[in-house]
């Protein structure tokens, strides 16, 4: 029952209507028929036919998730990677589970030269994927790393892939070119030999074995092994190419030409064959043929976007050398530069680039190239000769900019303390800054800057009355100072006096119409009141006169986010960050948080690096960077960064607590303990740190220490429920349910909240049975009939006790107040299914319409339709649910049941096997095994 419960996060899904329900159903059914036909074509390798039918399906219904998935894979098989990437992206946008498309998406990106995206895209992180998918994706990542020249990382990825399944041939073959590149021939042979033990007649394995001999100068062995590969697979193009290259090197031109002809028959558009033909023609002094062949190379490669081949060093070299051979040096340069950059400063291409620089003439560039080359290859006589022929020496002039700050002279004067306080404030040292500013303002109330800074600090720390007192004093002393009046208005607005704030801002603007912060104050008041148009109009007006005003750009971002316009909000936030100076960081902090919150960890890392460059020693900046690292799947990096943050936080207890929270989030319990102990050293009675330390002790298995700390919390804060909740955690850890219940009752007596009650109900229900728990909930509901959270908890206990009628009453009561609450609708649909109520389908469809991307709601609706005999609708819903949540065995079982009924027994078996592999004891496991036995 509870397997269908959709735990929502509170986001409201919009109900989109287009056309009549009947028309929509017809379109969906039509699209489903096209899809099923395309699937059969795809399975028979009729890729073109499958693509046509899938496009027909999208014309009928463009939101068919399975169609986008299959079309992406078909386009990839048809060598259309850009189009494939688009379709797979659409599938992801529609909510497909990434396990279904991750490998195919990575292949499309590698084919387009988007290797960094393969590594950085959060959708392509191997963690959390099924083993087979994880292995394939890890090998694609290894390919991307190899293309980018990071052999060490590529090897590590290959080893990770092999650890998943060492019997997979590709997990061994992927190692060979990496070892060859490092001239580690022993290791390369070992990997190739293991692949051949697994697949003795595999052409690719034989080709890789031959490539090792080739690179190691064992020409006879290489030729013989390439021939073995071609016997195993006569159309293995890479073996033909490699043999042709070897034969050219051996001056066996006739044999080489035969191999080139065969290669160009198999792959007429392969530029490598055309280049080898040019080499043979040049050797034969057949210049027209050589030129035509070089032109063929450039004709094939120039139309290809350079992004597609930027990590294909061989193709970059071919096109660069072909253009150079045709006398087109300017066209040759970008290709040669990219290839040389990948090969490093010791690449032979560097000498060719230096020659081009000398021909331009660009002597300084030539010297720069040659200096680097000679350092990498000090014995190259040709390079030394080229360098000497320039008769130039070039020194590197490093420009050092030293920012000297004039030390404040030691004199105890208010103006000095103001300067010192402001300096400390800018460096993030708030507590000592506040102390210095307060002393300065007390000594001399005319220290306006000290007073203004104090107001800001007090408001930031929630000390509104102190802020208002300073603001009122300043305003009386400076009645015609627009800045002072503006800050007073800000303090009033923060204190909840919107009318007083508006009047103050307007008074300040009469004195200084160009005071931007006063305009922004009015914007914030309008925004808080929901007057978005007025706020937007005022901001746009300011921006006309100052288009790079970061405060205005940031406020526009906040305004659009408040309106739910995320795309516009991000645009304005990025503009604010771009326009920000080296000391402006608000937009940078916000951009990091935004990217983490929106699931864009790679972009969050980029934004955090920019922030950290501005504030390399700042604790909050380090925390922001750590959050991006954690989101990007780098817990080790986050751990290191947070350790630095804890060390730099001095004894600021609140800041150390926040650092500890992040450390707990990445399971760095020892680091969190260090941070908390440091906080308690500075503030021994800081209760939040004590409470967190108790939880950490328990997480590390030290129940005695956790209990001791919980009791300390009770001593420090006897009127807080936190200590008793911690004692309950300890008791539950020890399986002492009565003691846990006693502690939770005490916590609820203090707290008297729905949260404390629902937790008490859960433990009572587990220990004493659902009836005891529902009694608690119903007693609360008599006093608080509108508490929907407790009502839902009561219904859950009713379900545990199989009192479906009582559960239905509770769910219906909730729906009277929240008619579109998807979780409740879904739960009620399940109750109706169990009780065989004919209204189950309508209720399940109603839940699904609230959140059409939720796979659990799809599953419930699909199963309800199946039970009602609506097979086509059930298949449509369950296929999409399975794509969105392939790791949920219940969904796979439901899909299998529908497929079996539709006669798709092979596909049904696959789904059942996958479900039982994922979890042999899921709710419907017995039914799944029974169904599987009938299909076998």
């Amino acid at each position: 029952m509870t397997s269908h419960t959709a735990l929502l996060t509170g986001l409201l899904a919009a109900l989109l209507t287009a056309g009549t329900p009947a028309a929509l159903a017809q379109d969906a059914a039509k699209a489903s028929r096209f899809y099923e036909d395309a699937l059969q074509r795809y399975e028979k390798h009729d890729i073109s036919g499958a693509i046509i039918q899938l496009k027909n399906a999208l014309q009928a219904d463009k939101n068919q998730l399975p169609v986008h998935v299959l079309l992406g894979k078909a386009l990839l098989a048809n060598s259309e990677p850009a189009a494939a990437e688009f379709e797979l992206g659409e599938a992801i946008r529609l909510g497909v589970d990434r396990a279904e498309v991750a490998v195919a998406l990575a292949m499309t990106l590698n084919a387009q030269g988007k290797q960094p995206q393969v590594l950085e895209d959060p959708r392509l992180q191997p963690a959390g994927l099924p083993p087979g998918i994880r292995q394939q994706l890890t090998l694609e990542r290894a390919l991307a790393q190899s293309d980018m020249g990071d052999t060490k990382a590529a090897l590590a990825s290959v080893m990770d892939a092999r650890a998943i399944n060492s019997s997979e041939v590709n997990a061994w073959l992927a190692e060979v070119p990496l070892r060859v590149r490092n001239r580690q021939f022993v290791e390369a042979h070992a990997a190739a030999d293991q692949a051949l033990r697994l697949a003795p007649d595999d052409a690719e394995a034989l080709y890789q074995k031959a490539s090792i001999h080739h690179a190691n100068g064992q020409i006879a062995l290489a030729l013989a092994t390439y021939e073995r590969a071609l016997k195993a697979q006569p159309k293995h193009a890479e073996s033909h190419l490699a043999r042709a290259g070897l034969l050219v090197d051996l001056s066996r031109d006739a044999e080489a030409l035969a191999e080139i002809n065969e290669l160009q028959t198999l792959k007429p558009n392969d530029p490598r064959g055309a280049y080898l033909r040019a080499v043979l023609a040049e050797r034969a002094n057949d210049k027209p043929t050589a030129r035509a062949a070089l032109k063929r190379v450039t004709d094939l490669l120039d139309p290809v976007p350079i992004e597609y081949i930027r990590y294909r060093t061989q193709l970059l070299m071919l096109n660069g050398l072909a253009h150079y051979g045709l006398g087109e040096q300017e066209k040759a340069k970008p290709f040669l530069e990219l290839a040389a950059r990948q090969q490093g400063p010791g690449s032979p291409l560097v000498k060719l680039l230096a020659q081009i620089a000398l021909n331009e003439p660009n002597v300084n560039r030539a010297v720069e190239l040659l200096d680097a080359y000679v350092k990498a290859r000090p014995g190259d006589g040709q390079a030394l000769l080229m360098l000497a022929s320039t008769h130039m020496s070039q020194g590197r002039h490093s420009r050092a900019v030293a920012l000297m700050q004039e030390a404040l002279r030691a004199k105890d004067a208010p103006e000095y303390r103001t300067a010192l306080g402001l300096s400390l404030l800018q460096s993030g040292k708030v507590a000592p800054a506040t102390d210095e500013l307060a002393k300065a303002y007390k000594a001399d109330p005319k220290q306006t800057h000290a007073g203004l800074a104090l107001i800001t600090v007090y408001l930031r720390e929630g000390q509104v009355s102190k802020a208002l007192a300073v603001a009122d004093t300043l305003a009386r002393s400076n009645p015609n100072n627009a800045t002072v009046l503006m800050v007073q208005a800000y303090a009033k607005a923060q204190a909840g006096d919107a009318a007083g704030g508006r009047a103050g801002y307007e008074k300040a603007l009469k004195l200084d119409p160009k005071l931007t912060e006063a305009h922004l104050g009015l914007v914030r008041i309008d925004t808080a009141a929901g007057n978005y148009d007025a706020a937007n109009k005022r901001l746009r007006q300011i921006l006309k006169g100052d288009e790079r005003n970061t405060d205005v750009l940031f406020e526009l971002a906040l305004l659009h986010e408040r309106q739910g316009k995320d795309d516009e909000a991000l645009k304005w936030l990025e503009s604010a960050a771009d326009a920000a100076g080296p000391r402006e960081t608000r937009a940078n902090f916000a951009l990091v948080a935004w990217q983490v919150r929106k699931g864009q960890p790679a972009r969050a890392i980029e934004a955090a690096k920019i922030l950290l460059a501005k504030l390399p020693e700042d604790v909050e900046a380090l925390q922001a960077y750590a959050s991006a690292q954690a989101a990007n799947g780098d817990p080790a990096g986050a751990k290191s960064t947070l350790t630095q943050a804890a060390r730099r936080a001095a004894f600021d207890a609140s800041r150390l607590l926040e650092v500890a929270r992040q450390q707990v989030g990445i399971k760095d319990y020892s680091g969190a303990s260090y941070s908390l102990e440091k906080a308690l050293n500075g503030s021994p009675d800081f209760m939040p740190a004590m409470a967190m330390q108790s939880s950490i002790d328990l997480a590390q298995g030290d129940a005695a220490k956790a209990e001791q700390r919980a009791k300390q919390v009770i001593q420090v804060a006897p009127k807080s429920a936190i200590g008793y909740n911690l004692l309950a955690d300890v008791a539950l850890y020890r399986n002492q349910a009565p003691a846990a219940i006693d502690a939770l009752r005490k916590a609820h007596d203090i707290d008297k909240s729905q949260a404390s009650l629902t937790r008490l109900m859960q433990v009572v229900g587990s220990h004493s049975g659902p009836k005891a728990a529902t009694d608690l909930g119903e007693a609360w509901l008599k006093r608080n009939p509108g508490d929907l959270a407790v009502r839902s908890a009561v219904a859950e206990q009713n379900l545990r006790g199989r009192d479906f009628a009582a559960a239905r009453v509770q769910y219906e009561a909730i729906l009277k107040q929240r008619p579109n609450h998807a979780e409740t609708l879904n739960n009620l649909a399940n109750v109706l299914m169990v009780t065989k109520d004919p209204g189950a389908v309508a209720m399940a469809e109603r839940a699904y319409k609230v959140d059409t991307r939720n796979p659990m709601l799809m599953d419930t609706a699909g199963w309800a339709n199946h039970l009602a005999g609506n097979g086509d609708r059930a298949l449509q819903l369950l296929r999409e649910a399975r794509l969105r949540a392939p790791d949920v065995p219940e969904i796979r079982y439901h899909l299998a049941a529908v497929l079996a009924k539709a006669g798709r027994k092979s596909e049904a078996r696959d789904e059942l096997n996958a479900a039982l592999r994922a979890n042999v004891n899921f709710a419907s496991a017995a039914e799944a095994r029974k169904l599987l036995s009938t299909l076998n």
Side-chain angles (χ1 to χ4, degrees), residues 62 108 140 196 310 324 442 469 505 614 650 731 754 833:
K62 65 181 181 181
T108 68
E140 282 298 318
L196 286 168
R310 59 178 170 170
Y324 188 84
K442 183 178 180 181
Y505 284 130
K614 291 183 174 184
Q754 62 175 216
M833 276 193 281

Side-chain angles (χ1 to χ4, degrees), residues 450-490:
L452 293 173
L454 268 178
I455 294 169
T456 303
V457 173
Y458 285 146
L459 287 173
R460 190 185 301 162
E461 294 182 344
Q463 300 182 55
V464 179
S465 59
K466 285 187 176 182
L468 282 171
V470 177
D472 291 344
T473 302
L474 271 178
R476 284 193 295 270
S477 303
N478 301 273
N480 295 317
N481 186 318
T483 301
V484 170
L485 295 177
M486 177 193 71
V487 173
Q488 183 192 32
Y490 174 66

Side-chain angles (χ1 to χ4, degrees), residues 119-134:
L119 304 176
E120 297 168 2
D121 195 321
R123 303 169 300 181
L124 300 181
Q125 299 302 312
L129 293 172
I133 301 297
R134 191 164 75 250

Side-chain angles (χ1 to χ4, degrees), residues 12 55 159 217 227 307 321 381 509 609 640 774 825 839 911 918:
L12 292 178
K55 289 182 177 179
M159 297 306 170
E227 288 173 4
E307 291 81 7
L321 292 171
L509 286 170
K609 285 179 178 178
S640 175
T774 56
L825 291 166
E911 294 297 334

